[in-house]
Structure formats: C-alpha cells, structure tokens
Amino acid sequence: MTGQEGQVAKSLVERASHHRDIEAVAIGRPVLDLQKPETVLPALASAKPDIVISAAAYTAVDRAEAEPGLAYAINEAGAGQVAAAAAELGVPIVHLSTDYVFDGQCDHPYLETHLPDPTGAYGASKLAGEMAVAQANPCHFIIRTAWVYSPFGNNFQNHASPCQ
Ligand SMILES: NC(=O)c1ccc[n+]([C@@H]2O[C@H](COP(=O)([O-])OP(=O)(O)OC[C@H]3O[C@@H](n4cnc5c(N)ncnc54)[C@H](OP(=O)(O)O)[C@@H]3O)[C@@H](O)[C@H]2O)c1
C-alpha cells in the first residue's frame, strides 16, 4: 500500500499484524514518491501485491487552496499512476477518497449516486483522482470516507479532551 507514514497505512499494517494470513506492506517516500512517477511501478512491483491500497495523498485541506498544483500532482496524477501500476501488475486497487468531493449542503446521507460538487481545491483534486483511478484500472474500489481516526496521526480521537 502507499502512504507508509500515514494514519490509514499505519492502522492497516497494525491490524494486519494480528492476522497470520495477511501481509501488509506499506511503501513510502523516497522509494515510492507520487511526485516521481518513475518510482511508482517498481516500488509496488517489489511488494508482489495481491491488491494495492492507495492511502497516500496530499491531505492538507486548507493549504491546498494555496498550492492546488501540488494537491493535483499528488491526488490526481499520483493516484492515477498508482492505479495504472496496479493494472500493470494485474491486481485491483482500493483507493481512499473523501466526502470533500461533495459540497456538504445535503441534509441527508450522501449516496454513491449523488453528483460530486467539491467546493475547494482539496476536494476537487481528490475527485480528479477518483476519475484518474477509475480510468487507469477497471478493477477499482473507491472509498469516500468523511473522517479517519486512529491512534496514529492528527485526528479528533488523539486531540479529544478527556470526558469529565
Ligand atoms: N484523515 C482523514 O480524516 C481523512 C478523511 C477522509 C479521507 N481521507 C483520505 O484517506 C487517505 C489516507 O489519509 P490519512 O489520514 O492516512 O493521511 P495522512 O496521515 O495525512 O497520510 C498521508 C500519507 O501520504 C503520503 N504522501 C504525501 N505525499 C506523498 C508523495 N508525494 N509520495 C508518496 N507519499 C506521499 C504521506 O507521506 P509522508 O509521511 O512521507 O509525508 C503520508 O504517509 C487519503 O487519501 C485521504 O484523502 C482521510
């Protein structure tokens, strides 16, 4: 999987460690750098995957407004390269996306059939990434999650105040 130091990747590696029949291999920079397309296929091929999980991304939602080019380079082009590499290796890809592909105005839960309408650069780059993934690998699963929390990284679980 991509995203070695990210909270999703770290969580999956930790969970997989409890299952003898699952080997989770997380690969990150500099071996696999989404800004260096030439690194993607060799890095993934070295793990001989049965499935690729695409958990690396540009995730700085607010900063993306100031550096949309970088957000797109990683979240669109990079994600597409990971999907293309998985296709080349003949394996499916599970790609992490976000609720930011929607505008957030809906007063009931979003369905897969709702039309995306991102309001910011991060959401737009992730939506572009979804399309790049779908185009590059017909065997894809795209998960639009709203919030990730884990013992790792920056999330509300790690920053919550203790109950009083
Ligand atoms: N966190 C949330 O609440 C949330 C909510 C909805 C969706 N998601 C999605 O879920 C996925 C995983 O999120 P996360 O919270 O685990 O993210 P994260 O903790 O911010 O980790 C992102 C990972 O991407 C890697 N990365 C960034 N740029 C890269 C590049 N150029 N080449 C290779 N790796 C690069 C980072 O590597 P370094 O460690 O080297 O910086 C980091 O390991 C993302 O697709 C995100 O959009 C997250």
Side-chain angles (χ1 to χ4, degrees):
M1 84 187 78
T2 64
Q4 193 171 26
E5 296 301 319
Q7 58 176 321
V8 167
K10 281 183 154 177
S11 298
L12 291 175
V13 167
E14 193 278 326
R15 295 310 300 166
S17 70
H18 300 286
H19 299 271
R20 260 186 273 162
D21 51 341
I22 299 175
E23 184 188 5
V25 179
I27 310 174
R29 291 183 278 190
V31 176
L32 187 157
D33 187 335
L34 296 181
Q35 290 178 268
K36 296 181 180 163
E38 69 280 6
T39 64
V40 175
L41 179 57
L44 291 176
S46 70
K48 298 185 171 58
D50 298 310
I51 186 166
V52 168
I53 299 176
S54 166
Y58 178 102
T59 55
V61 176
D62 296 334
R63 208 166 64 225
E65 300 303 324
E67 43 187 28
L70 182 58
Y72 274 89
I74 295 171
N75 290 347
E76 180 186 23
Q81 281 143 14
V82 173
E88 178 80 23
L89 297 170
V91 299
I93 180 168
V94 176
H95 177 68
L96 271 290
S97 190
T98 171
D99 61 329
Y100 279 95
V101 299
F102 298 115
D103 64 10
Q105 298 302 311
C106 195
D107 61 4
H108 53 277
Y110 283 99
L111 301 173
E112 292 86 345
T113 47
H114 275 101
L115 280 185
D117 185 19
T119 60
Y122 169 73
S125 71
K126 291 293 289 183
L127 179 60
E130 290 184 3
M131 292 188 272
V133 166
Q135 198 170 22
N137 190 337
C139 192
H140 60 267
F141 303 87
I142 293 171
I143 299 173
R144 289 171 172 162
T145 186
W147 197 273
V148 170
Y149 60 95
S150 75
F152 313 109
N154 187 21
N155 59 75
F156 70 82
Q157 184 195 27
N158 281 349
H159 291 277
S161 304
C163 296
Q164 298 186 346

